[in-house]
Amino acid sequence: MDALIGLQSQFWTATVETLYIVALALVFGGLGGLLVGLGLYLSRPGHILENRPVFLVLNVLVNFVRPIPFIIFIAAAQPLARIVVGTGIGNPAAIFAISVAASFGIGRIVEQNLMTVTPGVIEAARSVGAGPWRIIVTVLLPEALGPLILGYTFVFVALVDMATVAGYIGGGGLGNFALVYGYRQFNPVVTWAAVLLIIVLVQLVQFLGNWLARKAFRR
Amino acid sequence: MGETVVELRDVSKVYPPTTRGGSPVVAIDSVDLEVEAGDVYGIIGYSGAGKSTLVRLINALERSTAGSIVVHGQEIAGLPERNLRSMRLGIGMIFQQFNLLNSRTVAGNIAYPLEVAGRSKEERRERVEELLQFVGLADKAKAYPDQLSGGQKQRVGIARALATSPDILLADEATSALDPETTHEVLALLQRVNREFGVTIIVITHEMDVIQTIATKVAVMDRGRVIERGDVFDVFSNPQTAAAARFVGTVVKGVPNEHELAVLRERHPGRIVTLSFRDTEVDQAAVFAEFTREGVGFQVIYGGINEIQGRPFGHLTLALTADATSVDAALARVRTLTTVTEAR
Ligand SMILES: Nc1ncnc2c1ncn2[C@@H]1O[C@H](COP(=O)(O)OP(=O)(O)OP(=O)(O)O)[C@@H](O)[C@H]1O
Ligand SMILES: [Mg+2]
């Protein structure tokens, strides 16, 4: 316990770092995932921008990236990170790796959420002359909003999970904090404190997500 | 009236095989169809006959693989998708499952086509107001679709379809998800749309009473082909094909079916004939006079009178009692007056 009090400032720094990593990953990975998901949905045979090659490539890519364990992915993505964010280590590289991995994971979730929109409403929109772009913005996304919010809330938890691995390539955050000050110094209280904070964080976000989704569903 | 608004010439729609190595699906097979302004054109046929595909060709939700489709004088077969959008503003469509946007209020749903058409906010508000009044949902403007009954949802669907004042309305099984009472309300509304705004309506259904209630013309579809078409009165009172006769039989009372006929024959050993009376063109008294003149005894054993668009037609089945020569003589004369079918 004393050790924890002594580590207070590192603890809060780690918390802020985790939030920072997760927030940026949510923005980049969230957007990337939205694009991948829309791409999968729209290009699927029978859908409004049906395009078999695009669909097949995206589908294979998603199926290829998703099963890679993240701790391996983050290391494997280092060369690419060096090209894109200029460094293979630290928070920027971690955010990059998480965003890329998340794009594919989220893409699948977005695709599945979009599938809940009945084809009939898209047909109705087409029948009044709406083009693909308008259908995406005014029909597809609003109609799938509830499930999408719940999907992204679920994604947040996965991102927190991924962010704890950032320490592996020299990034910070609660995972690194628990590892360095808790696990390696045989101080379980420190580890538990990190765990507790993550649980609280996840719960808060889950509540927020549920609340927003309820508003979207109006139920 | 009279001007052709939709014309299909030798139109086919072939879907690629659904399974690898399967054969292509011919959903529409060389169909000709001509719909005139002001028509309520019914299209009837069993499930899978190609009805939905046919109407979806008219607003190009589905693209034809052969033939010519002219809507409002414009050839649409082969037009690229983006050039179809303005044409679609002139064709409204309603659906069996209503297909309303759940994320929008009733007013928002009705405004949707107007947004697509780029109308100003003020215009949209006024038009939505007008349409809500017309379909009798003024008090539901702010409700969401999941708070409405099926009949109310379809009325929203109709209002949405009419938003841009199209002069053609396509209705794909628009009442099939509704109970009989609500079906009648919706059909009455469609009839008002036709009569008050002069909108040409194409209704698809597998229920003959929908045709009977609102259609002026009807086409019967079977396996991708139109096998019979004409004025509703003609098809109902005198169907030419077996498929049409079966559909007509579901609503037209007065012709005994096989089973009923067998029962009747047991009770009446003599010859049994069915006389058809169309409109007022047949003088029933004259017909019966022919039997009496030949000394043929007759007894009405089955029958009924129907009315389509205010024109009556009916069938009477008679058991005849007399020797063969008198019956033949009487029937020969009756056949000059009306249609006679003898049960065998
Ligand atoms: N996208 C498609 N791909 C392949 N075949 C299709 C497709 N859509 C329809 N078909 C086939 O085309 C035929 C006609 O279908 P359609 O939906 O037009 O029939 P329908 O008369 O409207 O039937 P129902 O009364 O059941 O709605 C059917 O054999 C159907 O299986
Ligand atoms: Mg159908």
Side-chain angles (χ1 to χ4, degrees):
Chain A
M1 205 62 205
D2 290 345
L4 189 59
I5 292 165
L7 288 169
Q8 246 190 33
S9 86
Q10 285 94 325
F11 182 65
W12 294 123
T13 309
T15 307
V16 170
E17 268 183 318
T18 289
L19 285 175
Y20 167 75
I21 295 171
V22 170
L24 285 184
L26 192 59
V27 170
F28 295 123
L31 266 170
L34 192 63
L35 292 180
V36 172
L38 277 171
L40 280 169
Y41 177 87
L42 297 169
S43 64
R44 181 179 281 272
H47 285 204
I48 49 174
L49 294 176
E50 166 173 24
N51 186 321
R52 215 180 174 85
V54 170
F55 177 74
L56 287 177
V57 167
L58 275 177
N59 206 27
V60 166
L61 216 55
V62 168
N63 287 342
F64 177 74
V65 173
R66 278 215 315 157
I68 304 175
F70 185 62
I71 196 154
I72 294 169
F73 184 86
I74 198 171
Q78 272 184 312
L80 200 58
R82 254 177 236 122
I83 295 169
V84 179
V85 294
T87 170
I89 55 163
N91 289 343
I95 292 167
F96 172 77
I98 297 174
S99 300
V100 172
S103 291
F104 293 100
I106 297 174
R108 191 60 91 197
I109 293 174
V110 168
E111 182 203 17
Q112 280 161 5
N113 290 335
L114 294 178
M115 291 292 230
T116 62
V117 178
T118 39
V121 294
I122 292 163
E123 184 154 301
R126 286 181 63 209
S127 80
V128 301
W133 176 245
R134 186 187 290 275
I135 290 176
I136 294 169
V137 177
T138 61
V139 179
L140 215 45
L141 295 178
E143 289 292 302
L145 192 60
L148 279 173
I149 290 173
L150 289 179
Y152 273 90
T153 307
F154 173 81
V155 160
F156 179 87
V157 180
L159 290 182
V160 171
D161 189 7
M162 284 164 134
T164 56
V165 176
Y168 184 59
I169 56 162
L174 284 167
N176 191 44
F177 175 84
L179 199 71
V180 172
Y181 300 105
Y183 179 71
R184 293 209 185 120
Q185 302 192 1
F186 305 105
N187 202 338
V189 177
V190 170
T191 311
W192 293 340
V195 169
L196 198 69
L197 197 86
I198 287 174
I199 292 175
V200 170
L201 209 63
V202 165
Q203 277 305 323
L204 280 177
V205 170
Q206 187 71 54
F207 276 129
L208 182 70
N210 288 350
W211 179 75
L212 283 173
R214 246 199 321 279
K215 287 198 73 155
F217 282 123
R218 301 181 327 278
R219 278 173 203 132
Chain B
M1 285 277 172
E3 179 205 354
T4 302
V5 289
V6 176
E7 187 175 6
L8 275 65
R9 283 275 163 264
D10 210 15
V11 170
S12 295
K13 167 72 184 180
V14 182
Y15 286 107
T18 42
T19 54
R20 204 179 289 272
S23 50
V25 181
V26 183
I28 298 295
D29 188 2
S30 323
V31 162
D32 294 322
L33 194 73
E34 212 166 283
V35 182
E36 293 182 349
D39 278 348
V40 178
Y41 210 118
I43 295 175
I44 193 157
Y46 292 111
S47 185
K51 310 180 293 293
S52 297
T53 307
L54 187 71
V55 286
R56 290 153 48 84
L57 288 173
I58 295 171
N59 61 356
L61 286 180
E62 210 72 74
R63 306 312 300 271
S64 54
T65 44
S68 145
I69 302 171
V70 177
V71 179
H72 292 135
Q74 189 191 13
E75 173 66 58
I76 61 163
L79 267 193
E81 180 85 11
R82 57 172 47 253
N83 299 9
L84 293 168
R85 292 183 202 148
S86 63
M87 174 275 290
R88 286 185 183 141
L89 293 176
I91 305 181
M93 187 168 193
I94 56 176
F95 306 85
Q96 177 171 6
Q97 297 306 330
F98 322 121
N99 295 346
L100 302 178
L101 296 165
N102 286 313
S103 54
R104 285 177 176 237
T105 60
V106 165
N109 268 283
I110 300 174
Y112 189 73
L114 299 166
E115 287 171 27
V116 176
R119 304 287 173 78
S120 75
K121 202 166 178 177
E122 189 50 33
E123 266 180 288
R124 296 199 305 252
R125 204 190 49 73
E126 271 175 31
R127 182 74 181 136
V128 168
E129 191 72 22
E130 227 171 80
L131 287 160
L132 282 169
Q133 293 290 346
F134 177 72
V135 299
L137 288 175
D139 55 330
K140 297 284 187 200
K142 293 196 166 60
Y144 281 89
D146 56 12
Q147 298 164 326
L148 302 180
S149 70
Q152 290 171 329
K153 282 183 196 167
Q154 196 56 291
R155 283 191 270 160
V156 176
I158 292 171
R160 177 176 67 179
L162 295 177
T164 54
S165 309
D167 51 14
I168 301 173
L169 181 65
L170 309 176
D172 189 351
E173 302 276 6
T175 57
S176 300
L178 306 174
D179 61 62
E181 182 95 357
T182 319
T183 293
H184 253 86
E185 280 171 34
V186 169
L187 291 180
L189 185 60
L190 288 178
Q191 201 148 45
R192 279 182 59 205
V193 169
N194 174 250
R195 292 189 181 154
E196 288 176 29
F197 305 140
V199 174
T200 306
I201 304 183
I202 300 176
V203 277
I204 296 185
T205 182
H206 60 269
E207 297 166 323
M208 205 62 182
D209 56 343
V210 171
I211 306 273
Q212 183 179 21
T213 312
I214 62 165
T216 53
K217 294 191 184 142
V218 62
V220 182
M221 286 195 73
D222 188 32
R223 276 164 287 172
R225 298 180 147 268
V226 170
I227 55 166
E228 186 165 345
R229 84 191 77 209
D231 281 343
V232 170
F233 184 82
D234 294 333
V235 174
F236 267 69
S237 57
N238 191 16
Q240 301 296 309
T241 58
R246 265 200 306 281
F247 275 116
V248 169
T250 61
V251 285
V252 169
K253 299 289 165 258
V255 185
N257 61 30
E258 255 170 60
H259 178 72
E260 288 164 328
L261 199 59
V263 174
L264 290 175
R265 190 168 289 122
E266 235 158 64
R267 244 182 275 150
H268 305 280
R271 292 168 69 174
I272 294 179
V273 294
T274 297
L275 310 181
S276 302
F277 300 98
R278 279 159 48 92
D279 246 336
T280 38
E281 70 194 26
V282 179
D283 182 355
Q284 293 190 20
V287 170
F288 295 127
E290 294 298 343
F291 287 119
T292 319
R293 193 207 314 247
E294 292 296 333
V296 176
F298 62 88
Q299 191 186 351
V300 177
I301 56 175
Y302 203 97
I305 304 290
N306 299 269
E307 198 176 284
I308 301 272
Q309 297 169 316
R311 297 165 67 185
F313 69 94
H315 306 274
L316 290 178
T317 299
L318 309 180
L320 306 178
T321 40
D323 58 278
T325 25
S326 319
V327 169
D328 284 337
L331 285 181
R333 304 175 73 113
V334 169
R335 274 184 222 279
T336 64
L337 300 171
T338 189
T339 315
V340 179
T341 34
E342 181 153 10
R344 287 181 203 287

